[in-house]
Amino acid sequence: MEELGLSERQLTARFLHRTSPSTAYARLFCFPFAGGSAAAFVPWVEELKSAGIDVWSAQPRGRGMRFNEPPHRSVKEMAEDYMEVIRRRQDLPFAFYGHSLGGLLAFELTLQLEAEGLVPPKHLIMGATAPPVLGLIHPRIAHLPDDGFMVAVRERYAGIPDAVLGEPELLELFLPGLRADFAAHENFDRSHVRQVHCPITALAGSDDQMIDAAKMREWGQHTTAEFDLRIIAGDHFFFSASRDSVLSTVREKMLDIPAAAPAFLMRSGFTES
């Protein structure tokens, strides 16, 4: 771990990881929505483990084991933080899943890996993430005073739990990270169309009023490889309510990864006929 310039604790803190890599044929790095944490993808770990997929869930600064670290202020800053780990975790073929803000981060990480001449993800899966080619599709709110910011987030996504709103102490802890995430999203570079060279699958919530299927289809402009659009039942946070459908798509797309699947995976029914 010394080559990373990180302690074991610092390295572990960047990604929540519970699956033994000795049983995996591929790795899935997951990146959460604004205000989210690595805990969002904990239910995926065991379900994808049986498919031979090793799940690593990103932990943003200011949350979980990283509570004492200042929040990231830009998507580029997020990307460099996680790149310190991903550069050294290329022992297995891998894919990225990013939800909402996490999709922009996954896209930025892919661009950076390609720019550095490192192995990029074999597949990029986006959930409810507005493609940069559309520009910033919502008004900026990160600069608003606390009360106005909370109202704007609630109106847009119903994104602040009632339990947090009712506890001023919890709200004081929660808001800085959420505000920083919104600022990172709003200030993401959308000045020109950048493309990756791996396949992209875009997942759109059937009832997502903010980022519908028509918008998600424009992710096709951001890849030189194959593009697929899937409609998932639910609103902006469908990855939780329709987890089975999302994980089914993840398994399907990761089967396209050109690696020899182990025998147990073939017996489990997750290989193509």
Side-chain angles (χ1 to χ4, degrees):
M1 300 304 174
E2 293 179 357
E3 63 183 356
L4 280 173
L6 301 171
S7 69
E8 181 69 25
R9 181 178 175 82
Q10 287 173 317
L11 177 65
T12 303
R14 279 166 166 75
F15 286 92
L16 181 63
H17 169 240
R18 296 179 180 175
T19 307
S20 171
S22 64
T23 63
Y25 82 99
R27 181 170 292 130
L28 179 67
F29 292 99
C30 300
F31 303 96
F33 49 90
S37 70
F41 299 103
V42 166
W44 293 26
V45 174
E46 288 302 318
E47 295 189 49
L48 291 179
K49 182 178 180 179
S50 64
I53 298 170
D54 182 31
V55 176
W56 286 49
S57 182
Q59 184 68 280
R61 293 197 314 223
R63 276 149 266 186
M65 291 178 64
R66 310 187 72 185
F67 179 76
N68 291 323
E69 298 181 53
H72 298 107
R73 294 293 175 178
S74 70
V75 173
K76 279 191 172 294
E77 187 179 350
M78 295 176 189
E80 186 51 47
D81 187 33
Y82 297 122
M83 279 288 289
E84 292 192 73
V85 177
I86 295 171
R87 288 187 186 102
R88 304 307 199 277
R89 289 295 179 272
Q90 301 216 330
D91 54 308
L92 291 175
F94 62 94
F96 288 157
Y97 177 87
H99 198 87
S100 199
L101 171 64
L104 292 181
L105 173 55
F107 182 62
E108 185 68 31
L109 282 164
T110 304
L111 289 166
Q112 192 162 334
L113 285 166
E114 292 182 347
E116 293 183 15
L118 298 174
V119 177
K122 301 298 183 183
H123 211 104
L124 189 52
I125 305 173
M126 305 291 199
T129 304
V133 68
L134 297 179
L136 184 62
I137 64 174
H138 305 306
R140 296 177 182 272
I141 63 173
H143 65 285
L144 296 174
D146 286 352
D147 288 348
F149 178 66
M150 288 187 295
V151 169
V153 173
R154 292 278 285 184
E155 288 179 347
R156 188 179 296 181
Y157 299 119
I160 302 178
D162 290 334
V164 174
L165 285 173
E167 295 289 340
E169 293 83 2
L170 284 178
L171 194 59
E172 185 177 355
L173 296 174
F174 179 72
L175 273 183
L178 182 63
R179 185 186 296 278
D181 282 353
F182 269 81
H185 175 269
E186 291 169 5
N187 294 323
F188 185 78
D189 182 9
R190 300 173 175 84
S191 60
H192 58 285
V193 178
R194 296 181 292 171
Q195 292 182 310
V196 296
H197 304 296
C198 65
I200 291 179
T201 294
L203 308 183
S206 59
D207 301 318
D208 190 342
Q209 301 300 310
M210 306 303 296
I211 306 170
D212 60 18
K215 291 183 176 70
M216 291 298 292
R217 189 180 302 279
E218 297 307 310
W219 272 110
Q221 297 192 47
H222 287 285
T223 179
T224 62
E226 295 82 9
F227 172 75
D228 189 17
L229 173 67
R230 301 290 177 90
I231 311 299
I232 306 294
D235 58 16
H236 188 71
F237 297 102
F238 61 77
F239 79 96
S240 179
S242 294
R243 186 172 73 231
D244 289 348
S245 296
V246 175
L247 293 183
S248 177
T249 301
V250 169
R251 293 186 190 99
E252 175 192 340
K253 295 302 178 180
M254 292 191 75
L255 283 174
D256 293 336
I257 290 178
F264 85 87
L265 185 63
M266 296 181 180
R267 292 195 299 271
S268 69
F270 289 117
T271 56
E272 295 176 323
S273 58

